[in-house]
Amino acid sequence: VTGPQLGVMYYGFNLTKPPFADAPGLRQALTMTVDRDRLVQQVTNLGEPPATSWVPVGTANYTPQQPDWAALPYPERVARAKQLYAAAGYGPGNPLRFELRFPTGATNERVALAVAAMWKSALGVEATLAPEEFKSLLQSINRGETQVFRASWIGDYNDANTFLQLLASDFGINLPKYRSPEYDALLRAAAETADPVERRERLQAAERRLLADAPVIPLYFFVNKHLVAPRVRGWYDNPTNVVYSKDLALE
């Protein structure tokens, strides 16, 4: 049995140094040219929803926001991405080159190979793949040694804030080192209001700011995967992946 889970797989940019610091257009070009539908259908193939928002679908009292390019057919996205790529100073005679680091493992490697091929085909980007043991990768990210890296986040609770706070300037595990005074102000304003509608609007505005700045490339959302025997009663799928034993029984 599979169902949506509050978790996102993403690639993060190192925003502390070139080529991705102060280059939102270049970052947008890379995120636009990832064909997420093809990625989840042909590479991961476990029913994961493709991610163009940062906050997962199914988050309580929230509508995930979308970048303006999300509804475009893929060829139109590529055409727009080429313009951004050229505006950043890159092209056939000067391709963007960087290293993509990811944790060792078959799925992570397949995803990296697929995404690198998409970038190469769409823009001519030359991404060098560098698998690394997970703990070592985290140390490399924290030391600022990476350029683009694979990471993920599982929500601690069913609320948009558990995803949006991850990229606040002062949050300890803001891996891309994203800094946006406007984004931080919207999160603070959301935290200071008790009105649920106003709070949601401020969180959604923060997500729109985040998607415009593109410090991360959301790839896909996680799914829960369970084997449930037919004689089990009371089991229910839910995005937080928590089922209490008090609710379960055997027929």
Side-chain angles (χ1 to χ4, degrees), residues 31-51:
T31 192
M32 290 168 68
T33 46
V34 175
D35 189 341
R36 293 158 177 82
D37 290 328
R38 185 151 56 96
L39 190 66
V40 298
Q41 292 168 10
Q42 299 180 11
V43 181
T44 60
N45 199 30
L46 288 173
E48 299 94 341

Side-chain angles (χ1 to χ4, degrees), residues 214-226:
V216 292
I217 302 176
L219 297 175
Y220 55 86
F221 298 123
F222 290 123
V223 291
N224 297 316
K225 300 176 286 290
H226 298 278

Side-chain angles (χ1 to χ4, degrees), residues 34-90:
V34 175
D35 189 341
R36 293 158 177 82
D37 290 328
R38 185 151 56 96
L39 190 66
V40 298
Q41 292 168 10
Q42 299 180 11
V43 181
T44 60
N45 199 30
L46 288 173
E48 299 94 341
T52 49
S53 64
W54 176 243
V55 180
V57 175
T59 301
N61 193 36
Y62 191 81
T63 301
Q65 303 299 286
Q66 300 292 333
D68 58 1
W69 51 262
L72 295 177
Y74 185 70
E76 292 185 28
R77 285 163 43 188
V78 170
R80 185 183 295 186
K82 285 181 176 179
Q83 295 174 348
L84 295 171
Y85 186 68
Y90 297 96

Side-chain angles (χ1 to χ4, degrees), residues 10-211:
Y10 69 94
Y11 285 159
F13 295 104
N14 181 350
L15 301 183
T16 67
K17 61 178 65 173
F20 299 113
D22 303 317
L26 180 60
R27 301 194 300 264
Q28 281 285 10
L30 291 176
T31 192
M32 290 168 68
T33 46
V34 175
D35 189 341
R36 293 158 177 82
D37 290 328
R38 185 151 56 96
L39 190 66
V40 298
Q41 292 168 10
Q42 299 180 11
V43 181
T44 60
N45 199 30
L46 288 173
E48 299 94 341
T52 49
S53 64
W54 176 243
V55 180
V57 175
T59 301
N61 193 36
Y62 191 81
T63 301
Q65 303 299 286
Q66 300 292 333
D68 58 1
W69 51 262
L72 295 177
Y74 185 70
E76 292 185 28
R77 285 163 43 188
V78 170
R80 185 183 295 186
K82 285 181 176 179
Q83 295 174 348
L84 295 171
Y85 186 68
Y90 297 96
N94 180 36
L96 174 66
R97 296 181 174 91
F98 61 85
E99 183 182 70
L100 170 59
R101 294 199 194 185
F102 55 91
T104 54
T107 298
N108 293 330
E109 184 171 359
R110 289 198 304 270
V111 170
L113 284 167
V115 173
M118 294 171 190
W119 286 332
K120 178 69 172 178
S121 174
L123 300 173
V125 168
E126 297 180 5
T128 301
L129 305 186
E132 191 171 1
E133 193 273 333
F134 180 68
K135 290 184 179 179
S136 176
L137 175 60
L138 285 179
Q139 293 171 356
S140 298
I141 294 170
N142 289 329
R143 290 193 297 261
E145 297 172 353
T146 58
Q147 292 179 295
V148 182
F149 56 88
R150 176 270 191 199
S152 62
W153 182 251
I154 302 292
D156 295 315
Y157 47 91
N158 191 353
D159 186 87
N161 188 66
T162 190
F163 290 91
L164 296 170
Q165 72 172 353
L166 188 67
L167 294 169
S169 296
D170 59 353
F171 199 67
I173 48 178
N174 175 354
L175 300 183
K177 303 299 186 289
Y178 175 55
R179 301 287 185 270
S180 167
E182 179 185 348
Y183 183 79
D184 293 342
L186 287 166
L187 292 186
R188 285 195 300 271
E192 292 167 359
T193 180
D195 181 83
V197 174
E198 185 177 353
R199 177 180 182 271
R200 180 176 66 243
E201 290 174 350
R202 289 174 174 177
L203 290 176
Q204 290 174 341
E207 186 178 16
R208 290 194 295 273
R209 177 70 270 162
L210 173 71
L211 295 173

